[in-house]
Amino acid sequence: MSSSGPRQAAYRLGVLKGDGIGPEVVPVAVDLADLSARAAGLSVEWVELPVGLEAYGQLGDTLPQQTVEALHGCHGWVLGPVEHHRYDPRLSGMRNPSGTLRRLFDLYANERPARNLPAVPSRYEAVDLVVVRENTEGFYADRNVLEGDAEVLVTPDVVISLRVVTRRACERIAEYAFQLARRRARLRARPGRVTAVHKANVLRRGDGLFLACCRAVASRYPDVALDDVHADAAAYFLVRDPQRYDVLVTTNLFGDILSDQAAGLVGSLGVAPSLNSGDEHAMAQAVHGSAPDIAGSGVANPTAEILSVAMLFEWLGRRFDDPAATEAARRLEEAVGAALSAGVRTPDLGGSATTAEFARAVRARLAPGSML
Ligand code: NAD
């Protein structure tokens, strides 16, 4: 886990808008986050950087070197969704910015909370869980070999997919989950619990190692309970009784799938935030993709992106022991909650508000008296 560094006079945060609905929701999130930061006395310099299909068109690279270099000088950044299925792997310069950045900056922990938000219609109530997903290895072909790709086409009819599981990655993701469970327990004044999700019954070595690491780390957290569940049973219990879970920790692919499922439990992918973090940097990135079916129509829900930036502010608050960053996160979350409570909802939540109308409603709560 990262130790906290000296408080900064100002924070440099990159803005990478991404594809599809990215250019619709990222600027809204940044604008509102900036307002919240100012009100909390947090100084942020936002640095817009090229990424995605637009960057490919202009610079021949979906993740240009100049972007990567600039990010090294940033404390963190916001990455909008990327339309990865349109990236042709046969063309050079068509890298998946999301996976590449996670690996390049060792953003090993993907924290994906799912909780009910005020006045957001959903199938369940009182859901308040977090999926903690290992981000740097597993079955993801673009990040588990040094060069090339870990999906091998043996014949036109046979594919071998390699999965990597290391003790180091398992231990640090377990550590992250226990630290998070401890913080949540303090905030909620109840005991913390971590549930390790695995398939050690079938993937005996890989998931066996993951489970053993979770148990070893648990011995250092006597105040946090550990239990475990097979991934298939976890999917079942999540739809039966999601309130039973606190922090779920798991490997990359299971975490990717279960966190989308968890978003569905509390209303929409449009309200599901996430943060990718390592010891030195963090990347705010909503759980959802580029939503090509609604891109360009001005109705995307920016909530997930806004709350992802709030998570980035919270991370800055912990990393630099800076209460102004924590306060900026709190104000942003509160303003989103207040706008939702007032019934302002985008179509994914059954409402008729446009992205801009929802943004105005949040802005009015952040800065009463500002232009509506
Ligand atoms: P998706 O998340 O883009 O869309 C799934 C459904 O959720 C769609 O109906 C969409 O309209 C809706 N939705 C998503 N975000 C929304 C929002 N903010 N407001 C309202 N509705 C929203 O998933 P997909 O269709 O499987 O993927 C589309 C593309 O996105 C693919 O190229 C995929 O590879 C990519 N993708 C990127 C990321 C990322 O960059 N983080 C994550 C997942 C998928």
Side-chain angles (χ1 to χ4, degrees):
M1 291 293 292
S2 57
S3 52
S4 66
R7 195 168 301 170
Q8 310 284 296
Y11 297 91
R12 211 174 150 79
L13 300 180
V15 179
L16 292 77
K17 289 193 282 196
D19 308 319
I21 59 170
E24 296 169 52
V25 294
V26 171
V28 162
V30 167
D31 174 55
L32 297 170
D34 190 59
L35 207 56
S36 186
R38 283 168 197 270
L42 181 77
S43 178
V44 179
E45 182 196 352
W46 305 94
V47 189
E48 197 170 317
L49 298 165
V51 77
L53 292 169
E54 194 179 77
Y56 185 80
Q58 289 168 356
L59 303 160
D61 201 332
T62 50
L63 184 61
Q65 192 52 30
Q66 67 193 66
T67 294
V68 174
E69 279 163 23
L71 291 179
H72 279 287
C74 290
H75 297 92
W77 57 91
V78 187
L79 173 65
V82 290
E83 199 141 319
H84 188 222
H85 78 281
R86 283 179 56 202
Y87 290 20
D88 185 343
R90 292 164 303 181
L91 299 175
S92 74
M94 278 253 171
R95 297 183 283 171
N96 175 3
S98 175
T100 309
L101 288 171
R102 287 170 183 177
R103 196 163 78 155
L104 267 179
F105 288 89
D106 202 21
L107 306 174
Y108 61 85
N110 188 195
E111 184 180 327
R112 296 181 154 193
R115 67 185 165 93
N116 292 106
L117 292 174
V120 168
S122 71
R123 290 174 192 276
Y124 302 89
E125 286 173 7
V127 176
D128 181 14
L129 60 87
V130 187
V131 176
V132 174
R133 162 193 179 196
E134 202 292 320
N135 231 0
T136 57
E137 51 183 35
F139 257 126
Y140 284 69
D142 61 348
R143 66 203 75 164
N144 58 13
V145 290
L146 181 62
E147 222 175 68
D149 189 306
E151 270 201 322
V152 182
L153 190 62
V154 182
T155 75
D157 304 315
V158 178
V159 175
I160 296 177
S161 300
L162 294 174
R163 173 177 186 246
V164 174
V165 179
T166 64
R167 185 178 300 280
R168 175 172 179 260
C170 293
E171 281 179 353
R172 64 183 182 171
I173 199 65
E175 191 80 38
Y176 187 98
F178 277 91
Q179 289 273 346
L180 175 62
R182 187 174 270 176
R183 283 201 306 278
R184 283 167 59 88
R186 276 198 205 113
L187 278 174
R188 291 161 178 75
R190 51 134 179 78
R193 190 155 66 92
V194 171
T195 302
V197 181
H198 63 89
K199 284 289 286 180
N201 51 337
V202 181
L203 300 165
R204 286 176 183 265
R205 293 189 178 83
D207 274 17
L209 176 60
F210 169 74
L211 186 56
C213 290
C214 289
R215 289 182 175 145
V217 171
S219 66
R220 297 198 288 275
Y221 292 84
D223 51 319
V224 179
L226 172 69
D227 60 8
D228 69 277
V229 62
H230 294 141
D232 40 355
Y236 168 74
F237 288 129
L238 268 175
V239 293
R240 283 277 299 214
D241 178 21
Q243 298 86 351
R244 69 165 62 204
Y245 291 121
D246 179 4
V247 175
L248 295 137
V249 62
T250 189
T251 49
N252 202 340
L253 183 58
F254 295 153
D256 198 1
I257 296 167
L258 292 178
S259 55
D260 267 41
Q261 186 185 342
L265 302 175
V266 294
S268 161
L269 269 172
V271 299
S274 103
L275 187 77
N276 304 268
S277 65
D279 292 340
E280 303 294 331
H281 297 92
M283 173 167 87
Q285 183 186 28
V287 171
H288 63 73
S290 57
D293 52 342
I294 57 167
S297 49
V299 295
N301 189 343
T303 302
E305 206 66 61
I306 301 168
L307 295 180
S308 300
V309 185
M311 290 180 77
L312 177 58
F313 282 168
E314 272 169 23
W315 179 85
L316 289 175
R318 289 194 300 279
R319 165 108 175 83
F320 298 102
D321 191 19
D322 192 337
T326 312
E327 175 61 13
R330 192 194 63 75
R331 283 172 183 256
L332 199 49
E333 281 177 12
E334 203 173 270
V336 168
L340 290 169
S341 294
V344 187
R345 288 197 289 263
T346 42
D348 58 311
L349 302 178
S352 58
T354 62
T355 310
E357 283 163 353
F358 184 75
R360 275 200 292 278
V362 179
R363 174 172 260 272
R365 270 97 191 153
L366 277 170
S370 73
M371 290 286 287
L372 292 186

